[in-house]
Short mmCIF file of all heavy atoms in Angstrom, two decimals:
data_model
loop_
_atom_site.label_atom_id
_atom_site.label_comp_id
_atom_site.label_asym_id
_atom_site.label_seq_id
_atom_site.Cartn_x
_atom_site.Cartn_y
_atom_site.Cartn_z
N ASN B 71 50.29 93.00 99.84
CA ASN B 71 49.55 93.01 101.11
C ASN B 71 49.21 91.59 101.58
O ASN B 71 48.26 91.43 102.32
CB ASN B 71 48.29 93.84 101.00
CG ASN B 71 48.61 95.31 100.78
OD1 ASN B 71 49.51 95.86 101.42
ND2 ASN B 71 47.90 95.97 99.88
N LEU B 72 50.02 90.63 101.17
CA LEU B 72 49.83 89.28 101.66
C LEU B 72 50.67 89.00 102.93
O LEU B 72 50.39 88.07 103.67
CB LEU B 72 50.19 88.25 100.57
CG LEU B 72 49.39 88.41 99.25
CD1 LEU B 72 49.85 87.40 98.21
CD2 LEU B 72 47.91 88.29 99.50
N LEU B 73 51.67 89.88 103.11
CA LEU B 73 52.54 89.78 104.30
C LEU B 73 52.70 91.19 104.86
O LEU B 73 52.54 92.20 104.16
CB LEU B 73 53.94 89.28 103.94
CG LEU B 73 54.08 87.92 103.32
CD1 LEU B 73 55.55 87.63 103.02
CD2 LEU B 73 53.50 86.84 104.22
N THR B 74 53.03 91.23 106.15
CA THR B 74 53.45 92.46 106.80
C THR B 74 54.76 92.16 107.51
O THR B 74 55.14 91.01 107.63
CB THR B 74 52.36 92.94 107.77
OG1 THR B 74 52.71 94.27 108.23
CG2 THR B 74 52.17 92.03 108.93
N THR B 75 55.49 93.18 107.91
CA THR B 75 56.75 92.98 108.59
C THR B 75 56.83 93.74 109.92
O THR B 75 56.08 94.71 110.10
CB THR B 75 57.94 93.46 107.72
OG1 THR B 75 57.79 94.85 107.44
CG2 THR B 75 58.05 92.69 106.41
N TYR B 76 57.74 93.27 110.75
CA TYR B 76 58.09 93.99 111.95
C TYR B 76 59.52 93.61 112.29
O TYR B 76 60.02 92.54 111.89
CB TYR B 76 57.14 93.67 113.13
CG TYR B 76 57.11 92.22 113.57
CD1 TYR B 76 57.95 91.76 114.55
CD2 TYR B 76 56.23 91.36 112.97
CE1 TYR B 76 57.92 90.39 114.95
CE2 TYR B 76 56.18 90.00 113.33
CZ TYR B 76 57.02 89.54 114.33
OH TYR B 76 56.99 88.25 114.72
N ASP B 77 60.24 94.46 113.01
CA ASP B 77 61.62 94.26 113.33
C ASP B 77 61.75 93.92 114.82
O ASP B 77 61.03 94.44 115.66
CB ASP B 77 62.47 95.50 113.05
CG ASP B 77 62.55 95.81 111.56
OD1 ASP B 77 62.33 94.89 110.75
OD2 ASP B 77 62.85 96.96 111.23
N GLU B 78 62.67 92.96 115.09
CA GLU B 78 62.99 92.58 116.46
C GLU B 78 64.52 92.65 116.64
O GLU B 78 65.24 92.16 115.78
CB GLU B 78 62.54 91.13 116.75
CG GLU B 78 61.04 90.94 116.83
CD GLU B 78 60.47 91.43 118.16
OE1 GLU B 78 61.15 91.38 119.16
OE2 GLU B 78 59.32 91.89 118.11
N PRO B 79 64.96 93.22 117.76
CA PRO B 79 66.45 93.25 117.98
C PRO B 79 67.01 91.86 118.22
O PRO B 79 66.37 91.02 118.87
CB PRO B 79 66.57 94.15 119.21
CG PRO B 79 65.23 94.15 119.87
CD PRO B 79 64.22 93.83 118.81
N TYR B 80 68.22 91.63 117.67
CA TYR B 80 68.90 90.35 117.86
C TYR B 80 70.40 90.64 117.80
O TYR B 80 70.90 91.07 116.76
CB TYR B 80 68.50 89.35 116.80
CG TYR B 80 69.25 88.04 116.94
CD1 TYR B 80 68.90 87.10 117.89
CD2 TYR B 80 70.30 87.76 116.07
CE1 TYR B 80 69.57 85.92 118.03
CE2 TYR B 80 71.02 86.54 116.19
CZ TYR B 80 70.64 85.66 117.18
OH TYR B 80 71.33 84.49 117.31
N GLN B 81 71.11 90.45 118.91
CA GLN B 81 72.54 90.62 118.99
C GLN B 81 72.98 91.97 118.43
O GLN B 81 73.91 92.07 117.60
CB GLN B 81 73.27 89.48 118.31
CG GLN B 81 73.08 88.14 118.98
CD GLN B 81 73.84 87.01 118.32
OE1 GLN B 81 74.41 87.17 117.27
NE2 GLN B 81 73.80 85.86 118.99
N GLY B 82 72.30 93.02 118.83
CA GLY B 82 72.72 94.36 118.39
C GLY B 82 72.22 94.78 117.05
O GLY B 82 72.49 95.93 116.58
N ARG B 83 71.50 93.94 116.33
CA ARG B 83 70.95 94.27 115.03
C ARG B 83 69.47 93.96 115.02
O ARG B 83 68.97 93.35 115.95
CB ARG B 83 71.63 93.40 113.92
CG ARG B 83 73.10 93.64 113.82
CD ARG B 83 73.74 92.78 112.79
NE ARG B 83 73.20 93.04 111.47
CZ ARG B 83 73.37 92.30 110.41
NH1 ARG B 83 74.09 91.22 110.48
NH2 ARG B 83 72.80 92.62 109.25
#
Side-chain angles (χ1 to χ4, degrees):
N71 296 317
L72 303 177
L73 300 179
T74 189
T75 60
Y76 61 91
D77 294 339
E78 289 285 329
Y80 177 77
Q81 296 182 351
R83 298 179 61 193

